[in-house]
Amino acid sequence: MSLSFKKIVDLAVPMTHMNTPVYPGYPQPLRTTFSTVRDNGYESYVWTFVEHVSTHVDAPVHMVAGGATVDKMPLSHYIGNGVVLDFSKKAKRFQIKKADVEKAISSTGHSKEIGKGWIVLFHVNYTAKNTAADWLEHPDITKEAAEYLVSLGIEAVGIDAPGPDHPPFEAHKAFLPKQVVIFENLNNLDQLVGEDFLFVGTPIALAGGTAGITRPVALVR
Ligand SMILES: [Zn+2]
């Protein structure tokens, strides 16, 4: 097995004390000091944060009562062949339909392979706007497009926006009951358009968690 890659791309946004873009109504992450080098010889902090902050992955239990928690999903849903579908030039609130996804997949040249073992990432370029007034005006993956992706047998989806949809969260409700986990607030997807890469997005193993923060990386082949 070869472990050589052309480059490693960091797909996370940092989680910053009291200064992280959060979904409306969600609390800011907090960091307090537990111990300092000066007092005890070692430095250590206590962080308090909501599960759905910064770059994270939603587990089925987020929208499915009794669904799988983030620590219980097989790791194959977090690590897989990655592909980026480029919707970065679309108007705000663009509705990504099944036909749009089919066309985008076929333009990647992977239409025969995308399915089990694959993680499909949507580049809409809204993480770049996460301090702007229109951060929440990102495109939606429609219900039929989400159902189409589920039918392919993929492991996960991701997006560089706070989420793949708006209330009533039809994409979430199509993906999560079918064990397709959702990576949100991804970053730097512009660097992966047209690339072949391994996506590694293993989250923190919060026992019983509805999501887990993660620092995904793309290992570009
Ligand atoms: Zn979430």
Side-chain angles (χ1 to χ4, degrees):
M1 186 174 75
S2 167
L3 286 179
S4 59
F5 298 97
K6 276 195 295 184
K7 61 176 175 174
I8 301 173
V9 181
D10 184 352
L11 306 182
V13 292
M15 187 166 71
T16 305
H17 168 73
M18 286 299 290
N19 190 24
T20 301
V22 293
Y23 202 78
Y26 271 50
Q28 279 290 332
L30 299 174
R31 192 192 77 182
T32 53
T33 301
F34 175 70
S35 174
T36 63
V37 169
R38 192 190 60 202
D39 293 340
N40 302 305
Y42 64 96
E43 195 84 7
S44 189
Y45 310 127
V46 175
W47 286 85
T48 305
F49 54 88
V50 69
E51 295 160 319
H52 300 264
V53 69
S54 184
T55 306
H56 68 275
V57 58
D58 288 354
V61 71
H62 183 42
M63 298 241 172
V64 180
T69 56
V70 74
D71 56 312
K72 295 295 189 198
M73 287 300 292
L75 294 174
S76 53
H77 289 268
Y78 302 133
I79 301 170
N81 291 315
V83 66
V84 169
L85 308 185
D86 187 3
F87 292 97
S88 61
K89 304 290 188 293
K90 302 295 185 187
K92 64 183 184 180
R93 294 264 183 171
F94 180 77
Q95 300 294 298
I96 302 172
K97 298 196 175 72
K98 177 186 172 187
D100 300 312
V101 174
E102 286 178 316
K103 192 172 158 211
I105 284 179
S106 103
S107 77
T108 67
H110 293 297
S111 42
K112 292 211 167 50
E113 306 152 78
I114 291 174
K116 191 167 171 47
W118 283 75
I119 294 174
V120 177
L121 308 178
F122 286 77
H123 176 36
V124 297
N125 207 32
Y126 271 70
T127 295
K129 303 178 189 178
N130 66 8
T131 56
D134 62 350
W135 182 42
L136 295 172
E137 302 299 322
H138 59 84
D140 291 286
I141 300 174
T142 61
K143 180 168 181 256
E144 50 145 15
E147 288 171 347
Y148 169 66
L149 287 158
V150 166
S151 77
L152 297 178
I154 63 169
E155 312 289 341
V157 293
I159 193 162
D160 52 358
D165 54 11
H166 293 87
F169 304 116
E170 289 189 331
H172 274 84
K173 288 170 182 168
F175 289 131
L176 294 177
K178 302 296 186 185
Q179 317 296 303
V180 175
V181 297
I182 307 168
F183 288 87
E184 298 174 331
N185 295 315
L186 291 172
N187 203 8
N188 297 324
L189 295 187
D190 58 310
Q191 295 184 39
L192 298 176
V193 176
E195 298 282 12
D196 280 335
F197 60 95
L198 182 69
F199 176 90
V200 181
T202 322
I204 183 173
L206 291 175
T210 73
I213 58 164
T214 175
R215 184 178 189 174
V217 294
L219 306 177
V220 180
R221 296 175 178 121

